Coordinates of all heavy atoms in Angstrom, one line a residue:
M1 N -1.6 31.3 -10.6 CA -3.0 31.0 -10.6 C -3.5 31.0 -9.1 O -2.8 30.4 -8.3 CB -3.2 29.6 -11.2 CG -4.6 29.1 -11.2 SD -4.8 27.4 -11.9 CE -5.2 27.8 -13.5
S2 N -4.6 31.6 -8.9 CA -5.1 31.7 -7.5 C -5.9 30.4 -7.1 O -6.2 29.6 -8.0 CB -6.1 32.9 -7.4 OG -7.3 32.6 -8.1
I3 N -6.1 30.3 -5.9 CA -6.9 29.1 -5.4 C -8.2 29.1 -6.0 O -8.7 28.1 -6.4 CB -6.9 29.2 -3.8 CG1 -5.5 29.0 -3.2 CG2 -7.9 28.1 -3.3 CD1 -5.5 29.1 -1.7
R4 N -8.9 30.3 -6.1 CA -10.2 30.3 -6.7 C -10.2 29.8 -8.1 O -11.0 29.1 -8.6 CB -10.7 31.8 -6.6 CG -12.1 32.0 -7.2 CD -12.5 33.4 -7.0 NE -13.9 33.6 -7.3 CZ -14.5 33.6 -8.5 NH1 -13.8 33.4 -9.5 NH2 -15.8 33.8 -8.6
D5 N -9.2 30.3 -8.9 CA -9.0 29.8 -10.3 C -8.8 28.3 -10.4 O -9.4 27.6 -11.2 CB -7.9 30.5 -11.0 CG -8.1 32.0 -11.2 OD1 -9.3 32.4 -11.2 OD2 -7.2 32.8 -11.3
S6 N -8.0 27.8 -9.4 CA -7.8 26.3 -9.4 C -9.0 25.6 -9.1 O -9.3 24.5 -9.7 CB -6.7 26.0 -8.4 OG -5.5 26.5 -8.7
L7 N -9.8 26.1 -8.1 CA -11.0 25.4 -7.8 C -12.1 25.4 -8.9 O -12.9 24.5 -9.0 CB -11.6 26.0 -6.5 CG -10.9 25.7 -5.2 CD1 -11.4 26.6 -4.1 CD2 -10.9 24.3 -4.9
L8 N -12.1 26.5 -9.7 CA -13.1 26.6 -10.7 C -12.6 26.0 -12.1 O -13.3 26.0 -13.0 CB -13.4 28.1 -10.9 CG -14.1 28.7 -9.7 CD1 -14.4 30.2 -10.0 CD2 -15.4 28.0 -9.4
S9 N -11.4 25.6 -12.1 CA -10.8 25.1 -13.4 C -11.4 23.7 -13.8 O -11.3 22.7 -13.0 CB -9.3 24.9 -13.3 OG -8.7 24.3 -14.4
I10 N -12.0 23.6 -14.9 CA -12.6 22.4 -15.4 C -11.4 21.3 -15.6 O -11.6 20.2 -15.2 CB -13.3 22.6 -16.8 CG1 -14.5 23.5 -16.6 CG2 -13.7 21.3 -17.4 CD1 -15.6 22.9 -15.7
D11 N -10.3 21.8 -16.0 CA -9.2 20.8 -16.2 C -8.8 20.1 -14.9 O -8.5 18.9 -14.9 CB -7.9 21.6 -16.8 CG -8.1 22.0 -18.2 OD1 -9.0 21.5 -18.9 OD2 -7.4 23.0 -18.6
T12 N -8.8 20.9 -13.8 CA -8.5 20.3 -12.5 C -9.5 19.2 -12.1 O -9.1 18.1 -11.7 CB -8.4 21.4 -11.4 OG1 -7.5 22.4 -11.8 CG2 -8.1 20.8 -10.1
W13 N -10.8 19.4 -12.4 CA -11.8 18.5 -12.0 C -11.8 17.3 -12.9 O -12.1 16.2 -12.5 CB -13.2 19.2 -11.9 CG -13.2 20.1 -10.7 CD1 -13.1 21.4 -10.8 CD2 -13.2 19.7 -9.4 NE1 -13.1 22.0 -9.5 CE2 -13.2 20.9 -8.6 CE3 -13.2 18.5 -8.7 CZ2 -13.2 20.9 -7.2 CZ3 -13.2 18.5 -7.3 CH2 -13.2 19.7 -6.6
V14 N -11.5 17.5 -14.2 CA -11.4 16.4 -15.2 C -10.2 15.5 -14.7 O -10.3 14.3 -14.7 CB -11.2 16.9 -16.6 CG1 -10.9 15.8 -17.5 CG2 -12.5 17.6 -17.1
R15 N -9.1 16.1 -14.4 CA -7.9 15.4 -13.9 C -8.3 14.6 -12.7 O -7.9 13.4 -12.5 CB -6.8 16.3 -13.6 CG -5.5 15.7 -13.0 CD -4.8 15.0 -14.1 NE -3.5 14.4 -13.6 CZ -2.3 14.7 -14.2 NH1 -2.2 15.5 -15.2 NH2 -1.2 14.1 -13.7
A16 N -9.1 15.1 -11.8 CA -9.6 14.4 -10.6 C -10.3 13.2 -11.0 O -10.2 12.1 -10.3 CB -10.4 15.3 -9.7
L17 N -11.2 13.2 -12.0 CA -11.9 12.1 -12.4 C -11.0 11.0 -13.0 O -11.2 9.8 -12.7 CB -13.0 12.5 -13.5 CG -14.2 13.3 -12.9 CD1 -15.0 13.8 -14.1 CD2 -15.0 12.5 -11.9
Y18 N -10.0 11.4 -13.8 CA -9.0 10.5 -14.3 C -8.3 9.8 -13.1 O -8.0 8.6 -13.2 CB -8.1 11.2 -15.2 CG -8.6 11.4 -16.6 CD1 -8.7 12.7 -17.2 CD2 -9.1 10.3 -17.4 CE1 -9.2 12.9 -18.4 CE2 -9.6 10.5 -18.7 CZ -9.6 11.8 -19.2 OH -10.1 12.0 -20.4
I19 N -7.9 10.6 -12.1 CA -7.2 10.1 -11.0 C -8.0 9.0 -10.3 O -7.5 7.9 -10.0 CB -6.8 11.2 -10.0 CG1 -5.6 12.0 -10.6 CG2 -6.3 10.6 -8.7 CD1 -5.3 13.3 -9.9
V20 N -9.3 9.2 -10.1 CA -10.1 8.2 -9.5 C -10.2 7.0 -10.3 O -10.0 5.8 -9.9 CB -11.5 8.8 -9.2 CG1 -12.5 7.7 -8.8 CG2 -11.5 9.9 -8.2
L21 N -10.4 7.1 -11.7 CA -10.4 6.0 -12.6 C -9.1 5.2 -12.5 O -9.1 4.0 -12.4 CB -10.6 6.5 -14.0 CG -10.4 5.4 -15.1 CD1 -11.6 4.4 -15.1 CD2 -10.3 6.1 -16.5
F22 N -8.0 5.9 -12.5 CA -6.7 5.2 -12.5 C -6.3 4.6 -11.2 O -5.6 3.6 -11.1 CB -5.5 6.1 -13.1 CG -5.6 6.2 -14.5 CD1 -5.9 7.4 -15.2 CD2 -5.3 5.1 -15.3 CE1 -5.9 7.5 -16.5 CE2 -5.3 5.2 -16.7 CZ -5.6 6.4 -17.3
W23 N -6.9 5.2 -10.1 CA -6.7 4.6 -8.8 C -7.4 3.2 -8.7 O -6.9 2.3 -8.2 CB -7.2 5.5 -7.8 CG -6.9 5.2 -6.3 CD1 -6.1 4.2 -5.9 CD2 -7.2 6.0 -5.2 NE1 -6.0 4.3 -4.5 CE2 -6.6 5.4 -4.1 CE3 -7.9 7.2 -5.0 CZ2 -6.8 5.9 -2.8 CZ3 -8.0 7.7 -3.7 CH2 -7.4 7.1 -2.6
I24 N -8.6 3.2 -9.3 CA -9.4 1.9 -9.4 C -8.6 0.9 -10.3 O -8.4 -0.3 -9.9 CB -10.8 2.1 -9.9 CG1 -11.6 2.9 -8.9 CG2 -11.5 0.8 -10.2 CD1 -12.9 3.5 -9.4
L25 N -8.1 1.4 -11.4 CA -7.3 0.5 -12.3 C -6.1 0.0 -11.6 O -5.7 -1.2 -11.8 CB -7.0 1.2 -13.6 CG -8.0 1.3 -14.6 CD1 -7.6 2.2 -15.8 CD2 -8.4 -0.1 -15.2
L26 N -5.4 0.8 -10.8 CA -4.2 0.4 -10.1 C -4.5 -0.8 -9.2 O -3.8 -1.7 -9.1 CB -3.7 1.6 -9.3 CG -2.4 1.5 -8.5 CD1 -1.3 1.3 -9.5 CD2 -2.1 2.7 -7.7
S27 N -5.7 -0.7 -8.5 CA -6.1 -1.8 -7.6 C -6.3 -3.1 -8.4 O -5.8 -4.2 -8.1 CB -7.3 -1.5 -6.9 OG -7.1 -0.4 -6.0
L28 N -7.0 -3.0 -9.6 CA -7.3 -4.2 -10.4 C -6.0 -4.7 -11.0 O -5.8 -6.0 -11.0 CB -8.2 -3.8 -11.5 CG -9.6 -3.4 -11.1 CD1 -10.4 -2.9 -12.3 CD2 -10.4 -4.5 -10.4
V29 N -5.1 -3.9 -11.5 CA -3.9 -4.3 -12.1 C -3.0 -5.0 -11.0 O -2.3 -6.0 -11.3 CB -3.1 -3.2 -12.8 CG1 -1.7 -3.6 -13.2 CG2 -4.0 -2.7 -14.0
S30 N -3.0 -4.6 -9.8 CA -2.3 -5.2 -8.7 C -2.7 -6.7 -8.5 O -1.9 -7.5 -8.3 CB -2.4 -4.4 -7.4 OG -1.9 -3.2 -7.5
W31 N -4.0 -6.9 -8.6 CA -4.5 -8.3 -8.5 C -4.1 -9.1 -9.7 O -3.7 -10.3 -9.6 CB -6.1 -8.3 -8.5 CG -6.5 -7.9 -7.1 CD1 -7.0 -6.7 -6.6 CD2 -6.6 -8.8 -6.0 NE1 -7.3 -6.8 -5.3 CE2 -7.1 -8.1 -4.9 CE3 -6.3 -10.2 -5.8 CZ2 -7.3 -8.7 -3.6 CZ3 -6.5 -10.7 -4.5 CH2 -7.0 -10.0 -3.5
V32 N -4.1 -8.5 -10.9 CA -3.6 -9.2 -12.1 C -2.1 -9.6 -11.9 O -1.7 -10.7 -12.2 CB -3.8 -8.4 -13.4 CG1 -3.2 -9.1 -14.6 CG2 -5.3 -8.2 -13.6
L33 N -1.3 -8.6 -11.4 CA 0.1 -8.9 -11.2 C 0.3 -10.0 -10.2 O 1.1 -10.9 -10.4 CB 0.8 -7.6 -10.7 CG 2.3 -7.8 -10.3 CD1 3.1 -8.2 -11.6 CD2 2.8 -6.5 -9.7
G34 N -0.5 -10.1 -9.1 CA -0.5 -11.2 -8.2 C -0.8 -12.5 -8.8 O -0.1 -13.5 -8.6
A35 N -1.8 -12.5 -9.7 CA -2.1 -13.8 -10.4 C -0.9 -14.2 -11.3 O -0.6 -15.4 -11.4 CB -3.3 -13.6 -11.3
V36 N -0.3 -13.3 -12.0 CA 0.9 -13.6 -12.9 C 2.0 -14.2 -12.0 O 2.6 -15.2 -12.4 CB 1.4 -12.3 -13.6 CG1 2.7 -12.5 -14.3 CG2 0.3 -11.9 -14.6
V37 N 2.2 -13.6 -10.9 CA 3.3 -14.1 -10.0 C 3.0 -15.5 -9.6 O 3.9 -16.4 -9.6 CB 3.4 -13.2 -8.7 CG1 4.3 -13.8 -7.7 CG2 4.0 -11.8 -9.1
V38 N 1.8 -15.8 -9.2 CA 1.4 -17.1 -8.7 C 1.5 -18.2 -9.8 O 2.1 -19.2 -9.7 CB 0.0 -17.2 -8.1 CG1 -0.5 -18.6 -7.9 CG2 0.0 -16.4 -6.8
V39 N 1.0 -17.8 -11.0 CA 1.0 -18.7 -12.2 C 2.5 -18.9 -12.6 O 2.9 -20.1 -12.8 CB 0.2 -18.2 -13.3 CG1 0.5 -19.0 -14.6 CG2 -1.3 -18.2 -13.0
Q40 N 3.3 -17.9 -12.6 CA 4.7 -18.1 -13.0 C 5.4 -19.0 -12.0 O 6.2 -19.8 -12.4 CB 5.4 -16.7 -13.1 CG 6.8 -16.7 -13.6 CD 7.0 -17.1 -15.0 OE1 6.8 -18.2 -15.4 NE2 7.3 -16.1 -15.8
F41 N 5.2 -18.8 -10.7 CA 5.8 -19.6 -9.7 C 5.4 -21.1 -9.9 O 6.3 -22.0 -9.8 CB 5.4 -19.1 -8.3 CG 6.0 -20.0 -7.2 CD1 7.3 -19.9 -6.8 CD2 5.2 -20.9 -6.6 CE1 7.8 -20.7 -5.9 CE2 5.7 -21.7 -5.6 CZ 7.0 -21.6 -5.2
L42 N 4.1 -21.3 -10.1 CA 3.7 -22.7 -10.3 C 4.3 -23.3 -11.6 O 4.7 -24.5 -11.6 CB 2.1 -22.8 -10.4 CG 1.4 -22.4 -9.1 CD1 -0.1 -22.3 -9.4 CD2 1.7 -23.4 -8.0
I43 N 4.5 -22.5 -12.6 CA 5.1 -23.0 -13.8 C 6.6 -23.4 -13.6 O 7.0 -24.5 -14.0 CB 5.0 -22.0 -15.0 CG1 3.5 -22.0 -15.5 CG2 6.0 -22.4 -16.1 CD1 3.3 -20.8 -16.5
V44 N 7.3 -22.5 -12.8 CA 8.7 -22.8 -12.5 C 8.7 -24.0 -11.6 O 9.6 -24.9 -11.7 CB 9.3 -21.6 -11.8 CG1 10.7 -21.9 -11.3 CG2 9.5 -20.4 -12.9
L45 N 7.8 -24.1 -10.7 CA 7.8 -25.2 -9.7 C 7.6 -26.6 -10.5 O 8.3 -27.6 -10.2 CB 6.7 -25.0 -8.7 CG 6.7 -25.9 -7.5 CD1 7.9 -25.7 -6.6 CD2 5.4 -25.7 -6.7
V46 N 6.8 -26.6 -11.5 CA 6.5 -27.8 -12.2 C 7.5 -28.1 -13.3 O 7.9 -29.3 -13.4 CB 5.0 -27.8 -12.8 CG1 4.7 -28.9 -13.7 CG2 4.0 -27.7 -11.7
T47 N 7.9 -27.1 -14.1 CA 8.7 -27.3 -15.2 C 10.2 -27.0 -15.0 O 11.1 -27.5 -15.7 CB 8.3 -26.5 -16.4 OG1 8.5 -25.1 -16.1 CG2 6.8 -26.8 -16.8
G48 N 10.5 -26.2 -14.0 CA 11.8 -25.8 -13.7 C 12.3 -24.6 -14.6 O 13.4 -24.2 -14.5
E49 N 11.4 -24.1 -15.4 CA 11.8 -23.0 -16.3 C 10.7 -21.9 -16.3 O 9.5 -22.2 -16.0 CB 11.9 -23.5 -17.8 CG 13.0 -24.5 -17.9 CD 13.3 -24.9 -19.4 OE1 12.7 -24.2 -20.3 OE2 13.9 -25.9 -19.6
R50 N 11.2 -20.7 -16.6 CA 10.2 -19.5 -16.6 C 9.5 -19.5 -17.9 O 10.0 -20.0 -18.9 CB 11.0 -18.2 -16.5 CG 11.8 -18.0 -15.3 CD 12.6 -16.8 -15.3 NE 13.6 -16.8 -16.3 CZ 14.3 -15.8 -16.7 NH1 14.2 -14.6 -16.1 NH2 15.3 -15.9 -17.6
N51 N 8.2 -19.0 -17.9 CA 7.5 -18.8 -19.1 C 7.8 -17.5 -19.6 O 7.5 -16.4 -19.0 CB 6.0 -18.9 -18.8 CG 5.1 -18.8 -20.0 OD1 5.1 -17.7 -20.6 ND2 4.4 -19.8 -20.3
A52 N 8.4 -17.4 -20.8 CA 8.9 -16.1 -21.4 C 7.8 -15.2 -21.6 O 7.9 -14.0 -21.5 CB 9.7 -16.4 -22.7
Q53 N 6.6 -15.7 -22.0 CA 5.5 -14.8 -22.3 C 5.0 -14.1 -21.0 O 4.6 -12.9 -21.0 CB 4.3 -15.5 -23.0 CG 4.7 -16.0 -24.4 CD 3.7 -17.0 -24.9 OE1 3.1 -17.8 -24.2 NE2 3.5 -16.9 -26.2
L54 N 5.0 -14.9 -19.9 CA 4.6 -14.3 -18.6 C 5.6 -13.3 -18.1 O 5.3 -12.3 -17.5 CB 4.4 -15.4 -17.6 CG 3.0 -16.1 -17.6 CD1 2.9 -17.1 -16.5 CD2 1.9 -15.1 -17.4
V55 N 6.9 -13.6 -18.4 CA 7.9 -12.7 -18.0 C 7.7 -11.3 -18.7 O 7.7 -10.3 -18.1 CB 9.3 -13.2 -18.3 CG1 10.4 -12.1 -18.2 CG2 9.7 -14.4 -17.4
K56 N 7.5 -11.4 -20.0 CA 7.3 -10.2 -20.8 C 6.0 -9.4 -20.4 O 6.0 -8.2 -20.2 CB 7.2 -10.5 -22.3 CG 7.0 -9.2 -23.1 CD 7.0 -9.5 -24.6 CE 6.8 -8.2 -25.3 NZ 6.7 -8.3 -26.7
F57 N 4.9 -10.2 -20.1 CA 3.7 -9.6 -19.7 C 3.9 -8.9 -18.3 O 3.4 -7.8 -18.1 CB 2.6 -10.6 -19.6 CG 1.3 -10.0 -19.2 CD1 0.6 -9.1 -20.0 CD2 0.7 -10.3 -17.9 CE1 -0.6 -8.5 -19.6 CE2 -0.5 -9.8 -17.5 CZ -1.1 -8.9 -18.3
G58 N 4.6 -9.6 -17.4 CA 4.9 -9.0 -16.1 C 5.7 -7.7 -16.2 O 5.4 -6.8 -15.5
I59 N 6.7 -7.7 -17.1 CA 7.5 -6.5 -17.2 C 6.6 -5.4 -17.8 O 6.6 -4.2 -17.3 CB 8.7 -6.7 -18.2 CG1 9.7 -7.6 -17.5 CG2 9.3 -5.4 -18.6 CD1 10.8 -8.2 -18.4
N60 N 5.8 -5.7 -18.8 CA 4.9 -4.7 -19.3 C 3.9 -4.2 -18.3 O 3.6 -3.0 -18.2 CB 4.1 -5.2 -20.5 CG 5.0 -5.5 -21.7 OD1 6.1 -4.9 -21.9 ND2 4.6 -6.3 -22.6
L61 N 3.4 -5.1 -17.5 CA 2.5 -4.7 -16.4 C 3.2 -3.8 -15.4 O 2.6 -2.8 -14.9 CB 2.0 -6.0 -15.7 CG 0.6 -5.9 -15.1 CD1 -0.5 -5.5 -16.0 CD2 0.3 -7.3 -14.5
G62 N 4.4 -4.0 -15.1 CA 5.2 -3.2 -14.2 C 5.4 -1.8 -14.8 O 5.2 -0.8 -14.1
V63 N 5.6 -1.7 -16.1 CA 5.7 -0.4 -16.8 C 4.4 0.3 -16.7 O 4.4 1.6 -16.4 CB 6.2 -0.6 -18.2 CG1 6.2 0.8 -19.0 CG2 7.6 -1.1 -18.3
Y64 N 3.3 -0.4 -16.9 CA 2.0 0.2 -16.9 C 1.7 0.7 -15.4 O 1.2 1.9 -15.3 CB 0.9 -0.8 -17.3 CG -0.5 -0.3 -17.3 CD1 -0.8 0.8 -17.9 CD2 -1.5 -1.0 -16.6 CE1 -2.1 1.3 -17.9 CE2 -2.8 -0.6 -16.6 CZ -3.1 0.6 -17.3 OH -4.4 1.0 -17.2
L65 N 2.0 0.0 -14.4 CA 1.8 0.4 -13.1 C 2.6 1.7 -12.8 O 2.1 2.7 -12.2 CB 2.3 -0.6 -12.1 CG 1.3 -1.8 -11.9 CD1 2.0 -3.0 -11.2 CD2 0.0 -1.4 -11.2
K66 N 3.8 1.8 -13.3 CA 4.7 3.0 -13.2 C 4.0 4.2 -13.9 O 4.0 5.3 -13.3 CB 6.1 2.7 -13.8 CG 7.0 3.9 -13.7 CD 8.3 3.5 -14.4 CE 9.3 4.7 -14.4 NZ 9.0 5.6 -15.6
Q67 N 3.5 4.0 -15.1 CA 2.8 5.0 -15.8 C 1.6 5.5 -15.0 O 1.3 6.8 -14.9 CB 2.3 4.5 -17.1 CG 3.4 4.3 -18.1 CD 3.0 3.7 -19.4 OE1 1.8 3.2 -19.5 NE2 3.8 3.7 -20.4
I68 N 0.8 4.6 -14.4 CA -0.3 5.0 -13.6 C 0.1 5.9 -12.4 O -0.5 7.0 -12.1 CB -1.2 3.8 -13.1 CG1 -1.9 3.1 -14.3 CG2 -2.2 4.2 -12.1 CD1 -2.6 1.9 -13.9
V69 N 1.1 5.4 -11.7 CA 1.6 6.1 -10.5 C 2.1 7.5 -10.9 O 1.8 8.5 -10.3 CB 2.7 5.3 -9.8 CG1 3.4 6.2 -8.7 CG2 2.1 4.1 -9.2
E70 N 2.8 7.6 -12.0 CA 3.3 8.9 -12.5 C 2.2 9.8 -12.8 O 2.3 11.0 -12.5 CB 4.3 8.7 -13.6 CG 5.6 8.1 -13.3 CD 6.5 7.9 -14.4 OE1 6.1 7.9 -15.6 OE2 7.7 7.6 -14.2
F71 N 1.1 9.3 -13.4 CA 0.0 10.2 -13.8 C -0.7 10.7 -12.6 O -1.0 11.9 -12.5 CB -1.0 9.4 -14.7 CG -2.1 10.3 -15.1 CD1 -2.0 11.2 -16.1 CD2 -3.4 10.1 -14.5 CE1 -3.1 12.0 -16.5 CE2 -4.4 10.9 -14.9 CZ -4.3 11.8 -15.9
V72 N -1.1 9.8 -11.6 CA -1.9 10.2 -10.5 C -1.1 11.1 -9.5 O -1.7 11.9 -8.8 CB -2.5 9.0 -9.7 CG1 -3.4 8.2 -10.6 CG2 -1.5 8.1 -9.1
C73 N 0.3 11.0 -9.6 CA 1.1 11.9 -8.7 C 1.5 13.2 -9.5 O 2.4 13.9 -9.0 CB 2.4 11.1 -8.3 SG 2.0 9.8 -7.2
F74 N 0.9 13.4 -10.6 CA 1.2 14.6 -11.4 C 2.6 14.7 -11.9 O 3.1 15.8 -12.3 CB 0.9 15.9 -10.6 CG -0.6 16.1 -10.4 CD1 -1.3 15.4 -9.4 CD2 -1.3 17.0 -11.3 CE1 -2.6 15.6 -9.3 CE2 -2.6 17.2 -11.1 CZ -3.3 16.5 -10.1
A75 N 3.3 13.6 -12.0 CA 4.7 13.6 -12.5 C 4.7 13.5 -14.1 O 5.6 13.8 -14.7 CB 5.5 12.3 -12.0
D76 N 3.5 13.1 -14.6 CA 3.4 13.0 -16.1 C 1.9 13.3 -16.4 O 1.0 13.0 -15.7 CB 3.7 11.6 -16.5 CG 3.8 11.4 -18.1 OD1 3.6 12.4 -18.8 OD2 4.2 10.3 -18.5
D77 N 1.7 14.0 -17.5 CA 0.4 14.4 -17.9 C -0.2 13.5 -19.0 O -1.4 13.6 -19.3 CB 0.4 15.8 -18.5 CG 0.6 16.9 -17.4 OD1 0.2 16.7 -16.3 OD2 1.2 17.9 -17.8
E78 N 0.6 12.6 -19.5 CA 0.1 11.6 -20.5 C -0.7 10.5 -19.8 O -0.2 9.9 -18.9 CB 1.3 11.0 -21.3 CG 0.8 10.1 -22.4 CD 1.9 9.5 -23.2 OE1 3.0 10.1 -23.2 OE2 1.7 8.5 -23.9
K79 N -1.9 10.3 -20.2 CA -2.8 9.3 -19.6 C -2.4 7.9 -20.1 O -2.2 7.7 -21.3 CB -4.3 9.6 -20.0 CG -4.8 10.9 -19.3 CD -6.2 11.1 -19.7 CE -6.5 11.9 -20.9 NZ -5.8 13.1 -21.2
P80 N -2.2 7.0 -19.1 CA -1.9 5.6 -19.5 C -3.0 4.9 -20.2 O -4.1 5.4 -20.4 CB -1.6 5.0 -18.2 CG -1.5 6.1 -17.2 CD -2.3 7.2 -17.7
F81 N -2.8 3.7 -20.6 CA -3.8 2.8 -21.2 C -5.0 2.8 -20.3 O -4.9 2.8 -19.1 CB -3.2 1.4 -21.3 CG -4.1 0.3 -21.8 CD1 -4.3 0.2 -23.2 CD2 -4.9 -0.5 -21.0 CE1 -5.2 -0.7 -23.7 CE2 -5.8 -1.4 -21.5 CZ -5.9 -1.5 -22.8
P82 N -6.2 2.9 -20.8 CA -6.7 2.7 -22.2 C -6.7 4.0 -23.0 O -7.3 4.0 -24.1 CB -8.1 2.2 -21.9 CG -8.5 2.8 -20.7 CD -7.3 2.9 -19.8
F83 N -6.1 5.1 -22.5 CA -6.1 6.3 -23.3 C -4.9 6.4 -24.2 O -4.7 7.4 -24.9 CB -6.3 7.5 -22.4 CG -7.5 7.4 -21.6 CD1 -7.5 7.0 -20.3 CD2 -8.7 7.8 -22.2 CE1 -8.7 6.9 -19.6 CE2 -9.9 7.8 -21.4 CZ -9.9 7.3 -20.1
S84 N -3.9 5.5 -24.0 CA -2.8 5.4 -24.9 C -2.4 3.9 -25.1 O -3.1 3.1 -24.5 CB -1.6 6.1 -24.3 OG -1.2 5.6 -23.0
D85 N -1.4 3.6 -25.8 CA -1.1 2.2 -26.0 C -0.6 1.5 -24.7 O 0.1 2.2 -23.9 CB 0.0 2.1 -27.1 CG -0.5 2.5 -28.5 OD1 -1.7 2.4 -28.7 OD2 0.4 2.9 -29.3
F86 N -0.9 0.2 -24.6 CA -0.4 -0.5 -23.5 C 1.1 -0.7 -23.7 O 1.6 -0.9 -24.8 CB -1.1 -1.9 -23.4 CG -0.8 -2.7 -22.2 CD1 -1.4 -2.3 -21.0 CD2 0.2 -3.7 -22.2 CE1 -1.2 -3.0 -19.8 CE2 0.4 -4.4 -21.0 CZ -0.3 -4.0 -19.8
P87 N 1.9 -0.6 -22.6 CA 3.4 -0.8 -22.8 C 3.7 -2.1 -23.5 O 3.1 -3.1 -23.2 CB 3.9 -0.7 -21.3 CG 2.8 -0.1 -20.6 CD 1.5 -0.4 -21.2
D88 N 4.7 -2.0 -24.3 CA 5.2 -3.2 -25.0 C 6.8 -3.1 -25.0 O 7.3 -2.5 -25.9 CB 4.7 -3.3 -26.4 CG 5.0 -4.6 -27.1 OD1 5.5 -5.6 -26.4 OD2 4.9 -4.7 -28.3
T89 N 7.4 -3.8 -24.0 CA 8.8 -3.8 -24.0 C 9.3 -5.0 -24.7 O 8.6 -6.0 -24.9 CB 9.3 -3.9 -22.5 OG1 8.7 -5.1 -21.9 CG2 8.9 -2.7 -21.7
S90 N 10.6 -4.9 -25.2 CA 11.2 -6.0 -25.8 C 12.1 -6.7 -24.9 O 12.8 -6.1 -24.1 CB 11.9 -5.6 -27.1 OG 12.9 -4.7 -26.8
L91 N 12.2 -8.0 -25.0 CA 13.1 -8.8 -24.2 C 14.3 -9.2 -25.1 O 14.1 -9.7 -26.2 CB 12.4 -10.0 -23.6 CG 11.4 -9.8 -22.5 CD1 10.8 -11.1 -22.1 CD2 12.0 -9.1 -21.3
E92 N 15.5 -9.1 -24.6 CA 16.6 -9.6 -25.3 C 16.9 -11.0 -24.8 O 17.0 -11.3 -23.6 CB 17.9 -8.7 -25.0 CG 17.7 -7.3 -25.6 CD 18.9 -6.4 -25.3 OE1 20.0 -7.0 -24.9 OE2 18.8 -5.2 -25.3
D93 N 17.0 -11.9 -25.8 CA 17.3 -13.3 -25.4 C 18.7 -13.6 -25.1 O 19.6 -12.9 -25.5 CB 16.8 -14.2 -26.6 CG 15.3 -14.1 -26.8 OD1 14.6 -14.0 -25.7 OD2 14.8 -14.3 -27.9

């Protein structure tokens, strides 16, 4: 594919729009992750135990962040949430 073809490709420009969208989401999700970390720390500080639901959410958030990074770096063509399901990992007790 020539440079001219790449520049004129609608798919390339649509991908660019998705990249901008996911770059914004990456920033927002980073703030959410920070909030989860602070809340989890406070829970451990007060109760001495981890909140299992926050642990699972944090792991899922990490997987989501990985999916975003892989998409914007062209390592994966599958669009992350909200264009696919949000990651749902299982925790073994």
Side-chain angles (χ1 to χ4, degrees):
M1 178 180 267
S2 71
I3 294 174
R4 183 178 190 283
D5 292 338
S6 294
L7 289 172
L8 296 176
S9 171
I10 295 296
D11 291 338
T12 303
W13 291 106
V14 169
R15 178 73 177 238
L17 291 174
Y18 281 121
I19 288 172
V20 170
L21 170 72
F22 283 112
W23 193 357
I24 293 167
L25 280 173
L26 187 65
S27 298
L28 294 172
V29 172
S30 295
W31 281 98
V32 172
L33 179 61
V36 169
V37 168
V38 169
V39 170
Q40 184 72 285
F41 178 77
L42 292 173
I43 289 171
V44 169
L45 193 62
V46 171
T47 67
E49 296 185 15
R50 300 178 293 172
N51 180 295
Q53 293 168 328
L54 275 180
V55 169
K56 182 177 180 186
F57 181 69
I59 291 170
N60 291 338
L61 209 54
V63 171
Y64 181 53
L65 286 167
K66 178 181 176 279
Q67 289 174 348
I68 291 174
V69 169
E70 288 176 348
F71 179 78
V72 300
C73 292
F74 290 80
D76 192 356
D77 290 329
E78 185 176 338
K79 291 181 270 319
F81 178 84
F83 301 98
S84 62
D85 292 336
F86 191 79
D88 187 15
T89 58
S90 62
L91 291 178
E92 295 180 17
D93 294 327

